[in-house]
Structures are given as structure tokens and as C-alpha cells.
Amino acid sequence: MNASPDTLPLLRVTQAVKQFVLRRTLGDRVARRPGVLHTAVDHVSFELGSGEVLGLAGGSGSGKTTLARMLIRLVEPDDGQIMFGDSDVRAASGHALREIRRQMQMVFQDPYSSLNPRMRIGAAIFEAGKVHHQPGVDDEAAFVARVLDLVRLPASAARRFPQELSGGQRQRVAIARALAVGPKVLIADEAVSALDVSIQTQLLNLFLDLRDELGLSIIFVAHQLSVIAEVADRVAIMHEGKIVEIGPTAEVFHRPQHDYTRSLLAAHPSHTAPTPRGGSV
Amino acid sequence: MSDILLRIENLRISFGKDDRRVAAVNGVSLEVGSGEVVGLVGESGSGKSLTCRSVIRLLPPGGEMTANRVLFEGVDVQSLDRDALRAHRAHNVGMIFQDPFSCLDPTKRIGEQIAETLRVNVGLDREAAKVQALSLLEDVGISSPERRYLAYPHELSGGMRQRVMIAIAVATKPKLLIADEATTALDVTTQAQILDLIVRLRREIGMSVLLVSHDFGVIAQVCDRVAVMYGGYVVEFGPVADICNRPQHPYTRALLDSIPTIESAGQRIRRDGIPGQPPSLGEIEQGCPFVNRCSYASDACRTLELSMREVGPGHTSACPVTIGSGS
Ligand SMILES: Nc1ncnc2c1ncn2[C@@H]1O[C@H](COP(=O)(O)OP(=O)(O)O)[C@@H](O)[C@H]1O
Ligand SMILES: Nc1ncnc2c1ncn2[C@@H]1O[C@H](COP(=O)(O)OP(=O)(O)O)[C@@H](O)[C@H]1O
Ligand SMILES: [Mg+2]
Ligand SMILES: [Mg+2]
């Protein structure tokens, strides 16, 4: 779904760039060579519509995480423009930046990195909601129960600690905490990649439910093309920092235009066409 | 198929105190033909790695194994004394894992690590070991081997490190290569290259491969036969095409139905998935381990004695229910 001319896209990224100075090796230092600049995100442009799921695919090191983190300035962009509604993300600071970060929430592959192991799940959700003055926080138990219900966890989960839960449940909690602050966009960076298939499916359905029920937009970063194929409305394929192809998921996957997209699709292992490469001896 | 290289019969691996031992692997039987690629597929915790480790009797501390037999070329590895076991590990079986860092010495050049394996396990002298190590680097697709010989593990990409691991694992021309989630951490493109490499070496060296993966796609691409594991049991075993096209065990079917595919791009399908989660260690004391998540389950499943039943040529399933022809 592309934003039609009369509705502004929720998020518009134009020519975004991020460069890193590579650490100098011992050899470089001995020879007094300067650090090499590496362009992790190279003039990337895209738009995200309201209620849209945009998949971001590509090999490891292609710049997906860097791009995702730039959207909320966890990584500072070096160039380009990022507009969230009518706020200029690069120019924002203080309250405006906090508000942008409230509305665009990230969910990571490893929920351990975002959940405090010493905080009960209910408290973590409540704290997040309270800081951002979310409606309903005056009744802590009801607020927590309502948010947990969004991710299909029972209210009793509030008393648990993160480490008492399975990987899939922990990822639900990470999503719940993101939802507690009332975001418009979820940025899921490999959020289901470490999970087993049967659990992964449950989480994918949850993301789609959240889009339908809350009208959330989702940027769904994953290296597994098949996962993106089934969850995203549109997909952007990244390679060496550039978006080499972007379009409706079915279009890109069934009629890839770029060689890199073709090679990614060809390498993707599939169980639907078992073809032993060696054959029986 | 020709002769059997490895036959595991009724393998049990348990953990815990004497009176409260719980089985993590429960009556697994499996065979690998000579020159054959057999897959072990299943979700994490299903017992795949432990089953592999039984082949070289290298279990984590506290783990205890029993089996009717673990026959490698007709010899029961359970009966090997220390020296024979060392020789078995050094010559018969090569292993590669998900994380090559855990096996490579970060302080040594990779060429020297390969050469060392050749000196210690094959008995080559210094010069011959170096020549052979260079040729192995070339065999596993590492360009400019002379230069890479001098590299340290951290100077290589993940795919390169995995190639080095393979070079070490096949240096002794083992009869069996065990690849435990060896491509899981890699990019699809690199993964495809590593799988091709394994298949090529298998043909050239004539070795068998036991390939462990949680990814049915990977299994389907390379294996001749596959064992599906769940909760410490093998629930289905057979030719890979039969299992993918006509799964007979409800777990296999539900698992296959959960896997997203590229073909369905843009169709907005919602897969049912499998409700609940796999049993934890010791949770299942009798009956079928899948009973709580199975849509075909009846009360009888809670008490039945699990046994493999023939459901097709060379195709067995641990479920007494016939669920009809596959999707
Ligand atoms: N903080 C950093 N410092 C230096 N290089 C970085 C940093 N973060 C990422 N990179 C580099 O940027 C490139 C893109 O990385 P990343 O965005 O993590 O890719 P992806 O998420 O697609 O795997 C890689 O080459 C990576 O090494
Ligand atoms: N060192 C250990 N101590 C106790 N239990 C273990 C140990 N290693 C494995 N297990 C148990 O055995 C089960 C199977 O482990 P594993 O073979 O590693 O599974 P997989 O490789 O299929 O993910 C695990 O779920 C765990 O409960
Ligand atoms: Mg990343
Ligand atoms: Mg394992």
C-alpha cells in the first residue's frame, strides 16, 4: 500500500546515509594509515504507510539493523532526511525526540537485552506506561492485564520474571512493553529469528493481529525471506547498504528485478521441493 | 542402499540424581548408510545434539547414556576402551558445529590448526602437513590459501570460519561427518555454499553425513533420509521426499504446515502453527510426547507404549493414528 497523494506517509526516509570508521588494524597503525570509512547505509529512501507491514530483508551486514536504529536515532544518521509525520527526526531533541521514540518502538531479537531481569513483568509494563502517561495507568493491575491481553498472555504473567518464561513468551513480553507506551510503529529487528518454527508462527500471527486491531505500522527486519513473504505487504531488499529493490511482496518475490534479489531467492532452502543435492549413492 | 555405517538402537540419555533421573533422549533408533546423508530435524531441546554426541560418547557432564547398541562399522562404540575411543573420535568421525569459534583456537593461525590435526591424527610430518593443509583449504573453497593459511580465526568471516572447521573435520577423511546446525548462523547464500561443499566432499571422500538442523528447508535440500525428533523421541523416519510430501506423524505434519514459504508471498495466509510449546525435560513420563499439542490425540495416547510402525516403504512413524494422504 503506497501512500496516496492526499495522505501523508507515516514515515518518509530520503537518502539516509550512515558511515562507520572501521577500527584500524595493527598494520594500519604501524603504517599510519587512517581508518577506512565504511558506508553501512548508503542513500536509502523509502516510505511507510499507516497500518502497513514493510519487510526489510538482506544478507547479514547489509545494513538492516543500522537502518532500523537510525529511524529513532539509536544510530545518528550522517546525511539524508527522516520525517515521522511532520516531525523531522534528525532535528528533534529533548521532548520531541522522546515523543518520536514513544511512537516508534523497537523489538529486538534477544528480549534479554531490553528486559530487566530483576523486574517483574507487570512492573516493567506499568513503568513504561506511567513514564509516558498512558491512559488507564491509574489502575496498575487493569492496565497491565489489558496490555498482556494484547499479546495473548494471561494476567498472571505479570508476577513472573523474564527468565521464568520461554523464549516465545519473553518475546511477547517485549512486544507488550513496547505496546504499553501507545506506539504507532513497531520496528521488529529479527524479532522472531531465534525462535522455533511453531513458536515463530504464533508470533507472526500476533504481529498481524496487532496491525489489524491497533492499526500499527510495522517495519519487519528479518534475514529469512520466507518469513517476510508471509508477513509483509511490501518488501525492501538491502545489499551492501543500499535498497536494491522495493515493492509489493508478491511482486518482488515472484518477479524479482534485481540480480541480488534473484540470488537470495535461489539460495533460500525450501522444504516444498525436496531435491537432495547429491542423490542416494 | 549399500551397507550400514552407523546403527543406533534404543538410545537413552538421562540427566539428574540417581533416583530422579529424567530422559532427554528416549529410545532413539537410527541408521546411517555408507555414503548416505541422514538428517535430524526438530525444534530446540528435542535431543538432536545429544543423539549426535552419543556416536563419539562425548556427553555433557552429568549425562548418562544407555543403548542396546551403537554400532559403527559393526563395532559397538559402548564397548571401546580409552585408546580405541580416542582413535574412533580421531579417525572415524568429524564434527562441525554452529559456532566455529568454540572449536578454533583464537591464538593460532588457521593453517597451523589444520596442519596440527594432520600431524597428530594422521601422522604426517611438518612439511607434508603444511602441503596437505593448503590443499584442504583449497578443497573447501578458500581462495588464496597461502595467504589465508596465516590468518587468525577472528580475521575471517563466519562463512570462511565454517569452511575452516570443515577442513579440520574432514582432514582425517572420516567415515562420518556430523554437522550440528553448522549453517544456522550463516547467510542463506553462504549456507547454500556450505551445504554444496558438504555434499561435494561426501561424494569425493565417500563419507556419510549426519546433518542436524531445525530448518526443514535445509534438510530437504541435502538429505536422503530424515529422522524427525520431538521431546527426546524420533517420531518419524524415512526418505526425505516422503516425509516432506506425505508426513504421517501429526507432529511432522503440523511442523511442516507451520513453515512459511516464499511461494505464498502476498497471499496473506495465516498459518495455524502448533499451540502451546514443546515439553520440558521430565514433563512427559509416559505416552506420546506430543499429546498435549496434537489435534488427533485421544486418552489412549497418554499411556501408549511408543513404537515405530511402518507407514510406507522404509518410512516409519511413532503414531498409531493414520492421518490420510499428505498435503
Ligand atoms: N557500531 C558500528 N561500528 C562499526 N561498524 C558497524 C557498526 N554497526 C554496524 N557496523 C557495520 O555496518 C554494516 C551493517 O551492519 P548491520 O546494520 O548490523 O547489518 P545487518 O543488520 O543487515 O546484518 C556491517 O558491515 C557492520 O559491520
Ligand atoms: N548438560 C545438560 N544438563 C542437563 N540437561 C541437558 C544438558 N544438555 C542437554 N540437556 C537436556 O536435553 C535436552 C535435549 O538437548 P539437545 O540434544 O541439546 O537438544 P537439541 O540439539 O535438539 O536442541 C535439552 O532440552 C535439555 O533439557
Ligand atoms: Mg541485524
Ligand atoms: Mg542442538
Side-chain angles (χ1 to χ4, degrees), chain B residues 143-169:
Chain B
S143 55
S144 35
E146 272 91 7
R147 203 155 52 83
R148 303 280 191 212
Y149 189 96
L150 300 173
Y152 290 95
H154 72 268
E155 296 173 327
L156 302 177
S157 68
M160 285 289 196
R161 276 198 295 273
Q162 204 54 279
R163 284 173 198 269
V164 171
M165 265 312 298
I166 294 176
I168 292 175

PDB file of all heavy atoms in Angstrom, chain B residues 143-169:
ATOM      1  N   SER B 143      39.779 -19.053  -1.171  1.00  0.00           N
ATOM      2  CA  SER B 143      40.668 -18.534  -2.204  1.00  0.00           C
ATOM      3  C   SER B 143      41.971 -18.030  -1.593  1.00  0.00           C
ATOM      4  O   SER B 143      42.030 -17.724  -0.406  1.00  0.00           O
ATOM      5  CB  SER B 143      39.966 -17.412  -2.968  1.00  0.00           C
ATOM      6  OG  SER B 143      39.535 -16.443  -2.046  1.00  0.00           O
ATOM      7  N   SER B 144      42.991 -17.906  -2.384  1.00  0.00           N
ATOM      8  CA  SER B 144      44.371 -17.635  -1.955  1.00  0.00           C
ATOM      9  C   SER B 144      44.728 -18.328  -0.639  1.00  0.00           C
ATOM     10  O   SER B 144      44.930 -17.673   0.384  1.00  0.00           O
ATOM     11  CB  SER B 144      44.673 -16.132  -1.891  1.00  0.00           C
ATOM     12  OG  SER B 144      43.563 -15.389  -1.487  1.00  0.00           O
ATOM     13  N   PRO B 145      44.783 -19.664  -0.665  1.00  0.00           N
ATOM     14  CA  PRO B 145      45.042 -20.439   0.555  1.00  0.00           C
ATOM     15  C   PRO B 145      46.361 -20.070   1.247  1.00  0.00           C
ATOM     16  O   PRO B 145      46.400 -20.066   2.472  1.00  0.00           O
ATOM     17  CB  PRO B 145      45.063 -21.897   0.080  1.00  0.00           C
ATOM     18  CG  PRO B 145      44.906 -21.878  -1.378  1.00  0.00           C
ATOM     19  CD  PRO B 145      44.509 -20.527  -1.825  1.00  0.00           C
ATOM     20  N   GLU B 146      47.408 -19.737   0.457  1.00  0.00           N
ATOM     21  CA  GLU B 146      48.691 -19.389   1.093  1.00  0.00           C
ATOM     22  C   GLU B 146      48.521 -18.215   2.061  1.00  0.00           C
ATOM     23  O   GLU B 146      49.097 -18.196   3.139  1.00  0.00           O
ATOM     24  CB  GLU B 146      49.767 -19.021   0.058  1.00  0.00           C
ATOM     25  CG  GLU B 146      50.565 -20.202  -0.451  1.00  0.00           C
ATOM     26  CD  GLU B 146      49.925 -20.799  -1.689  1.00  0.00           C
ATOM     27  OE1 GLU B 146      48.945 -20.191  -2.200  1.00  0.00           O
ATOM     28  OE2 GLU B 146      50.370 -21.880  -2.150  1.00  0.00           O
ATOM     29  N   ARG B 147      47.723 -17.237   1.628  1.00  0.00           N
ATOM     30  CA  ARG B 147      47.538 -16.059   2.461  1.00  0.00           C
ATOM     31  C   ARG B 147      46.636 -16.387   3.663  1.00  0.00           C
ATOM     32  O   ARG B 147      46.937 -16.021   4.790  1.00  0.00           O
ATOM     33  CB  ARG B 147      46.934 -14.930   1.618  1.00  0.00           C
ATOM     34  CG  ARG B 147      47.187 -13.557   2.143  1.00  0.00           C
ATOM     35  CD  ARG B 147      47.132 -12.530   1.011  1.00  0.00           C
ATOM     36  NE  ARG B 147      45.912 -12.646   0.229  1.00  0.00           N
ATOM     37  CZ  ARG B 147      44.754 -12.099   0.584  1.00  0.00           C
ATOM     38  NH1 ARG B 147      44.669 -11.411   1.694  1.00  0.00           N
ATOM     39  NH2 ARG B 147      43.697 -12.252  -0.169  1.00  0.00           N
ATOM     40  N   ARG B 148      45.551 -17.119   3.399  1.00  0.00           N
ATOM     41  CA  ARG B 148      44.605 -17.451   4.480  1.00  0.00           C
ATOM     42  C   ARG B 148      45.230 -18.382   5.514  1.00  0.00           C
ATOM     43  O   ARG B 148      44.820 -18.387   6.663  1.00  0.00           O
ATOM     44  CB  ARG B 148      43.368 -18.131   3.911  1.00  0.00           C
ATOM     45  CG  ARG B 148      42.668 -17.331   2.867  1.00  0.00           C
ATOM     46  CD  ARG B 148      41.807 -16.258   3.482  1.00  0.00           C
ATOM     47  NE  ARG B 148      40.967 -15.708   2.444  1.00  0.00           N
ATOM     48  CZ  ARG B 148      40.552 -14.460   2.387  1.00  0.00           C
ATOM     49  NH1 ARG B 148      40.894 -13.623   3.338  1.00  0.00           N
ATOM     50  NH2 ARG B 148      39.795 -14.056   1.408  1.00  0.00           N
ATOM     51  N   TYR B 149      46.184 -19.191   5.077  1.00  0.00           N
ATOM     52  CA  TYR B 149      46.871 -20.112   5.985  1.00  0.00           C
ATOM     53  C   TYR B 149      47.373 -19.359   7.214  1.00  0.00           C
ATOM     54  O   TYR B 149      47.348 -19.853   8.328  1.00  0.00           O
ATOM     55  CB  TYR B 149      48.061 -20.739   5.247  1.00  0.00           C
ATOM     56  CG  TYR B 149      48.741 -21.876   5.968  1.00  0.00           C
ATOM     57  CD1 TYR B 149      48.399 -23.196   5.686  1.00  0.00           C
ATOM     58  CD2 TYR B 149      49.727 -21.641   6.921  1.00  0.00           C
ATOM     59  CE1 TYR B 149      49.024 -24.244   6.334  1.00  0.00           C
ATOM     60  CE2 TYR B 149      50.347 -22.686   7.576  1.00  0.00           C
ATOM     61  CZ  TYR B 149      50.004 -23.990   7.274  1.00  0.00           C
ATOM     62  OH  TYR B 149      50.610 -25.030   7.923  1.00  0.00           O
ATOM     63  N   LEU B 150      47.789 -18.103   6.991  1.00  0.00           N
ATOM     64  CA  LEU B 150      48.386 -17.308   8.053  1.00  0.00           C
ATOM     65  C   LEU B 150      47.368 -16.513   8.869  1.00  0.00           C
ATOM     66  O   LEU B 150      47.718 -15.849   9.840  1.00  0.00           O
ATOM     67  CB  LEU B 150      49.404 -16.328   7.440  1.00  0.00           C
ATOM     68  CG  LEU B 150      50.544 -17.008   6.680  1.00  0.00           C
ATOM     69  CD1 LEU B 150      51.402 -15.968   5.976  1.00  0.00           C
ATOM     70  CD2 LEU B 150      51.389 -17.832   7.648  1.00  0.00           C
ATOM     71  N   ALA B 151      46.100 -16.587   8.476  1.00  0.00           N
ATOM     72  CA  ALA B 151      45.093 -15.763   9.157  1.00  0.00           C
ATOM     73  C   ALA B 151      44.705 -16.355  10.508  1.00  0.00           C
ATOM     74  O   ALA B 151      44.796 -17.571  10.721  1.00  0.00           O
ATOM     75  CB  ALA B 151      43.858 -15.641   8.273  1.00  0.00           C
ATOM     76  N   TYR B 152      44.293 -15.481  11.420  1.00  0.00           N
ATOM     77  CA  TYR B 152      43.728 -15.930  12.689  1.00  0.00           C
ATOM     78  C   TYR B 152      42.215 -16.027  12.542  1.00  0.00           C
ATOM     79  O   TYR B 152      41.626 -15.320  11.706  1.00  0.00           O
ATOM     80  CB  TYR B 152      44.088 -14.945  13.801  1.00  0.00           C
ATOM     81  CG  TYR B 152      45.546 -14.988  14.151  1.00  0.00           C
ATOM     82  CD1 TYR B 152      46.448 -14.099  13.578  1.00  0.00           C
ATOM     83  CD2 TYR B 152      46.023 -15.964  15.022  1.00  0.00           C
ATOM     84  CE1 TYR B 152      47.793 -14.155  13.872  1.00  0.00           C
ATOM     85  CE2 TYR B 152      47.370 -16.027  15.330  1.00  0.00           C
ATOM     86  CZ  TYR B 152      48.263 -15.128  14.750  1.00  0.00           C
ATOM     87  OH  TYR B 152      49.585 -15.202  15.042  1.00  0.00           O
ATOM     88  N   PRO B 153      41.558 -16.901  13.339  1.00  0.00           N
ATOM     89  CA  PRO B 153      40.111 -17.098  13.173  1.00  0.00           C
ATOM     90  C   PRO B 153      39.307 -15.794  13.110  1.00  0.00           C
ATOM     91  O   PRO B 153      38.408 -15.658  12.282  1.00  0.00           O
ATOM     92  CB  PRO B 153      39.727 -17.915  14.411  1.00  0.00           C
ATOM     93  CG  PRO B 153      40.952 -18.709  14.724  1.00  0.00           C
ATOM     94  CD  PRO B 153      42.113 -17.814  14.363  1.00  0.00           C
ATOM     95  N   HIS B 154      39.640 -14.809  13.970  1.00  0.00           N
ATOM     96  CA  HIS B 154      38.810 -13.601  14.004  1.00  0.00           C
ATOM     97  C   HIS B 154      38.971 -12.751  12.751  1.00  0.00           C
ATOM     98  O   HIS B 154      38.180 -11.845  12.513  1.00  0.00           O
ATOM     99  CB  HIS B 154      39.136 -12.772  15.249  1.00  0.00           C
ATOM    100  CG  HIS B 154      40.462 -12.080  15.181  1.00  0.00           C
ATOM    101  ND1 HIS B 154      41.620 -12.652  15.680  1.00  0.00           N
ATOM    102  CD2 HIS B 154      40.817 -10.894  14.645  1.00  0.00           C
ATOM    103  CE1 HIS B 154      42.627 -11.826  15.449  1.00  0.00           C
ATOM    104  NE2 HIS B 154      42.177 -10.750  14.829  1.00  0.00           N
ATOM    105  N   GLU B 155      39.972 -13.049  11.947  1.00  0.00           N
ATOM    106  CA  GLU B 155      40.166 -12.272  10.718  1.00  0.00           C
ATOM    107  C   GLU B 155      39.310 -12.785   9.558  1.00  0.00           C
ATOM    108  O   GLU B 155      39.344 -12.229   8.474  1.00  0.00           O
ATOM    109  CB  GLU B 155      41.644 -12.280  10.315  1.00  0.00           C
ATOM    110  CG  GLU B 155      42.519 -11.588  11.336  1.00  0.00           C
ATOM    111  CD  GLU B 155      44.012 -11.728  11.028  1.00  0.00           C
ATOM    112  OE1 GLU B 155      44.427 -12.761  10.482  1.00  0.00           O
ATOM    113  OE2 GLU B 155      44.741 -10.787  11.358  1.00  0.00           O
ATOM    114  N   LEU B 156      38.589 -13.876   9.814  1.00  0.00           N
ATOM    115  CA  LEU B 156      37.775 -14.463   8.744  1.00  0.00           C
ATOM    116  C   LEU B 156      36.298 -14.185   8.971  1.00  0.00           C
ATOM    117  O   LEU B 156      35.863 -13.982  10.102  1.00  0.00           O
ATOM    118  CB  LEU B 156      37.993 -15.978   8.708  1.00  0.00           C
ATOM    119  CG  LEU B 156      39.424 -16.466   8.496  1.00  0.00           C
ATOM    120  CD1 LEU B 156      39.463 -17.982   8.559  1.00  0.00           C
ATOM    121  CD2 LEU B 156      39.974 -15.958   7.175  1.00  0.00           C
ATOM    122  N   SER B 157      35.523 -14.211   7.886  1.00  0.00           N
ATOM    123  CA  SER B 157      34.068 -14.077   8.011  1.00  0.00           C
ATOM    124  C   SER B 157      33.497 -15.382   8.565  1.00  0.00           C
ATOM    125  O   SER B 157      34.169 -16.406   8.588  1.00  0.00           O
ATOM    126  CB  SER B 157      33.463 -13.799   6.638  1.00  0.00           C
ATOM    127  OG  SER B 157      33.613 -14.944   5.826  1.00  0.00           O
ATOM    128  N   GLY B 158      32.226 -15.336   8.984  1.00  0.00           N
ATOM    129  CA  GLY B 158      31.575 -16.520   9.539  1.00  0.00           C
ATOM    130  C   GLY B 158      31.603 -17.703   8.579  1.00  0.00           C
ATOM    131  O   GLY B 158      31.875 -18.839   8.969  1.00  0.00           O
ATOM    132  N   GLY B 159      31.347 -17.429   7.311  1.00  0.00           N
ATOM    133  CA  GLY B 159      31.326 -18.490   6.315  1.00  0.00           C
ATOM    134  C   GLY B 159      32.706 -19.109   6.123  1.00  0.00           C
ATOM    135  O   GLY B 159      32.853 -20.329   6.013  1.00  0.00           O
ATOM    136  N   MET B 160      33.733 -18.265   6.109  1.00  0.00           N
ATOM    137  CA  MET B 160      35.128 -18.731   5.992  1.00  0.00           C
ATOM    138  C   MET B 160      35.502 -19.612   7.176  1.00  0.00           C
ATOM    139  O   MET B 160      36.130 -20.649   7.020  1.00  0.00           O
ATOM    140  CB  MET B 160      36.094 -17.545   6.021  1.00  0.00           C
ATOM    141  CG  MET B 160      36.132 -16.764   4.769  1.00  0.00           C
ATOM    142  SD  MET B 160      36.941 -17.648   3.446  1.00  0.00           S
ATOM    143  CE  MET B 160      37.207 -16.258   2.392  1.00  0.00           C
ATOM    144  N   ARG B 161      35.132 -19.148   8.386  1.00  0.00           N
ATOM    145  CA  ARG B 161      35.463 -19.927   9.588  1.00  0.00           C
ATOM    146  C   ARG B 161      34.805 -21.296   9.522  1.00  0.00           C
ATOM    147  O   ARG B 161      35.405 -22.301   9.888  1.00  0.00           O
ATOM    148  CB  ARG B 161      34.989 -19.189  10.850  1.00  0.00           C
ATOM    149  CG  ARG B 161      35.963 -18.147  11.355  1.00  0.00           C
ATOM    150  CD  ARG B 161      35.670 -17.792  12.789  1.00  0.00           C
ATOM    151  NE  ARG B 161      34.381 -17.139  12.923  1.00  0.00           N
ATOM    152  CZ  ARG B 161      34.189 -15.828  12.796  1.00  0.00           C
ATOM    153  NH1 ARG B 161      35.212 -15.036  12.548  1.00  0.00           N
ATOM    154  NH2 ARG B 161      32.988 -15.314  12.924  1.00  0.00           N
ATOM    155  N   GLN B 162      33.559 -21.324   9.019  1.00  0.00           N
ATOM    156  CA  GLN B 162      32.879 -22.605   8.925  1.00  0.00           C
ATOM    157  C   GLN B 162      33.593 -23.501   7.912  1.00  0.00           C
ATOM    158  O   GLN B 162      33.720 -24.706   8.110  1.00  0.00           O
ATOM    159  CB  GLN B 162      31.407 -22.381   8.562  1.00  0.00           C
ATOM    160  CG  GLN B 162      30.463 -23.487   8.973  1.00  0.00           C
ATOM    161  CD  GLN B 162      30.536 -23.859  10.443  1.00  0.00           C
ATOM    162  OE1 GLN B 162      31.415 -24.612  10.861  1.00  0.00           O
ATOM    163  NE2 GLN B 162      29.618 -23.353  11.245  1.00  0.00           N
ATOM    164  N   ARG B 163      34.131 -22.903   6.858  1.00  0.00           N
ATOM    165  CA  ARG B 163      34.902 -23.687   5.881  1.00  0.00           C
ATOM    166  C   ARG B 163      36.156 -24.265   6.528  1.00  0.00           C
ATOM    167  O   ARG B 163      36.537 -25.410   6.270  1.00  0.00           O
ATOM    168  CB  ARG B 163      35.294 -22.818   4.681  1.00  0.00           C
ATOM    169  CG  ARG B 163      34.142 -22.550   3.727  1.00  0.00           C
ATOM    170  CD  ARG B 163      34.538 -21.557   2.646  1.00  0.00           C
ATOM    171  NE  ARG B 163      33.364 -20.979   2.013  1.00  0.00           N
ATOM    172  CZ  ARG B 163      32.773 -21.492   0.926  1.00  0.00           C
ATOM    173  NH1 ARG B 163      33.288 -22.543   0.334  1.00  0.00           N
ATOM    174  NH2 ARG B 163      31.694 -20.946   0.440  1.00  0.00           N
ATOM    175  N   VAL B 164      36.795 -23.455   7.372  1.00  0.00           N
ATOM    176  CA  VAL B 164      37.997 -23.940   8.062  1.00  0.00           C
ATOM    177  C   VAL B 164      37.645 -25.113   8.979  1.00  0.00           C
ATOM    178  O   VAL B 164      38.345 -26.129   9.016  1.00  0.00           O
ATOM    179  CB  VAL B 164      38.655 -22.798   8.877  1.00  0.00           C
ATOM    180  CG1 VAL B 164      39.768 -23.346   9.765  1.00  0.00           C
ATOM    181  CG2 VAL B 164      39.179 -21.721   7.941  1.00  0.00           C
ATOM    182  N   MET B 165      36.513 -24.971   9.683  1.00  0.00           N
ATOM    183  CA  MET B 165      36.058 -26.055  10.555  1.00  0.00           C
ATOM    184  C   MET B 165      35.860 -27.337   9.752  1.00  0.00           C
ATOM    185  O   MET B 165      36.209 -28.427  10.187  1.00  0.00           O
ATOM    186  CB  MET B 165      34.698 -25.696  11.172  1.00  0.00           C
ATOM    187  CG  MET B 165      34.736 -25.064  12.526  1.00  0.00           C
ATOM    188  SD  MET B 165      35.788 -25.919  13.663  1.00  0.00           S
ATOM    189  CE  MET B 165      34.987 -27.521  13.730  1.00  0.00           C
ATOM    190  N   ILE B 166      35.277 -27.181   8.569  1.00  0.00           N
ATOM    191  CA  ILE B 166      35.034 -28.353   7.722  1.00  0.00           C
ATOM    192  C   ILE B 166      36.366 -28.951   7.286  1.00  0.00           C
ATOM    193  O   ILE B 166      36.549 -30.170   7.301  1.00  0.00           O
ATOM    194  CB  ILE B 166      34.158 -27.976   6.506  1.00  0.00           C
ATOM    195  CG1 ILE B 166      32.770 -27.572   6.992  1.00  0.00           C
ATOM    196  CG2 ILE B 166      34.063 -29.136   5.520  1.00  0.00           C
ATOM    197  CD1 ILE B 166      31.835 -27.090   5.896  1.00  0.00           C
ATOM    198  N   ALA B 167      37.316 -28.077   6.940  1.00  0.00           N
ATOM    199  CA  ALA B 167      38.635 -28.574   6.538  1.00  0.00           C
ATOM    200  C   ALA B 167      39.246 -29.416   7.661  1.00  0.00           C
ATOM    201  O   ALA B 167      39.796 -30.491   7.415  1.00  0.00           O
ATOM    202  CB  ALA B 167      39.556 -27.401   6.179  1.00  0.00           C
ATOM    203  N   ILE B 168      39.134 -28.936   8.898  1.00  0.00           N
ATOM    204  CA  ILE B 168      39.681 -29.696  10.030  1.00  0.00           C
ATOM    205  C   ILE B 168      38.911 -31.005  10.213  1.00  0.00           C
ATOM    206  O   ILE B 168      39.486 -32.069  10.408  1.00  0.00           O
ATOM    207  CB  ILE B 168      39.636 -28.846  11.326  1.00  0.00           C
ATOM    208  CG1 ILE B 168      40.616 -27.678  11.191  1.00  0.00           C
ATOM    209  CG2 ILE B 168      39.953 -29.700  12.551  1.00  0.00           C
ATOM    210  CD1 ILE B 168      40.589 -26.698  12.344  1.00  0.00           C
ATOM    211  N   ALA B 169      37.575 -30.907  10.099  1.00  0.00           N
ATOM    212  CA  ALA B 169      36.749 -32.097  10.328  1.00  0.00           C
ATOM    213  C   ALA B 169      37.000 -33.188   9.289  1.00  0.00           C
ATOM    214  O   ALA B 169      36.926 -34.367   9.600  1.00  0.00           O
ATOM    215  CB  ALA B 169      35.267 -31.712  10.349  1.00  0.00           C
TER     216      ALA B 169
END
